[in-house]
Amino acid sequence: MTEELASHYFPLMTEGKRAKILGAKDKVKGAQAFVADMLARQCLSELCDAPEFSFSLLINPDSKSVVTNFNAEISVSTAGEYVACAVSTVPVGISIVKAGDFTFSEAQELLTDAEIRYLFSFSCISILSPSI
């Protein structure tokens, strides 16, 4: 997030959204709400090929978010200083978690088979064959 982006997007927001962001008791949550709105608009603009401020949004990070005037689904998640957004024409979800060590059995409990294959595609495991 840069000051240039903030100065571009903030004045374009509705007066109600600006007041809500500026009036947030938790300044981090206020900043996350601003970034979530901006990120959602950029993602939706790309998906729907429409101007960023043509969307009527109800953004609730880490809960249900809704696009009311386009056929699009949206999900927004926050964690610490990070904000993530996923958009699609079908139901979609996104979550952010801090990366940490895990075992293969823990991965099997949390992830789909496709996610496990994708994750382990980055592994650098060498299989050595025995010498004869």
Side-chain angles (χ1 to χ4, degrees):
M1 175 61 146
T2 65
E3 193 170 316
E4 183 181 347
L5 280 174
S7 65
H8 171 73
Y9 280 95
F10 197 72
L12 298 173
M13 298 178 92
T14 65
E15 187 175 324
K17 281 194 178 184
R18 288 194 310 262
K20 184 177 178 180
I21 289 167
L22 291 174
K25 292 178 184 173
D26 182 338
K27 296 303 178 192
V28 171
K29 292 286 186 195
Q32 286 176 334
F34 173 67
V35 171
D37 192 275
M38 182 182 72
L39 183 60
R41 290 178 183 286
Q42 288 176 342
C43 292
L44 286 163
S45 176
E46 190 173 312
L47 175 74
C48 299
D49 194 28
E52 292 169 343
F53 280 87
S54 59
F55 303 98
S56 181
L57 304 177
L58 298 169
I59 302 280
N60 295 312
D62 308 315
S63 186
K64 181 70 176 157
S65 296
V66 179
V67 182
T68 61
N69 62 337
F70 275 78
N71 183 24
E73 299 286 332
I74 185 170
S75 179
V76 178
S77 182
T78 63
E81 63 186 43
Y82 298 100
V83 178
C85 179
V87 299
S88 181
T89 56
V90 296
V92 66
I94 194 165
S95 181
I96 304 173
V97 294
K98 184 178 178 181
D101 294 337
F102 58 90
T103 65
F104 184 72
S105 61
E106 290 170 333
Q108 286 179 304
E109 291 176 19
L110 299 171
L111 306 173
T112 66
D113 289 344
E115 290 169 327
I116 290 172
R117 283 191 300 277
Y118 177 77
L119 181 67
F120 283 98
S121 72
F122 295 100
S123 297
C124 297
I125 299 173
S126 302
I127 300 176
L128 302 175
S129 58
S131 301
I132 298 183

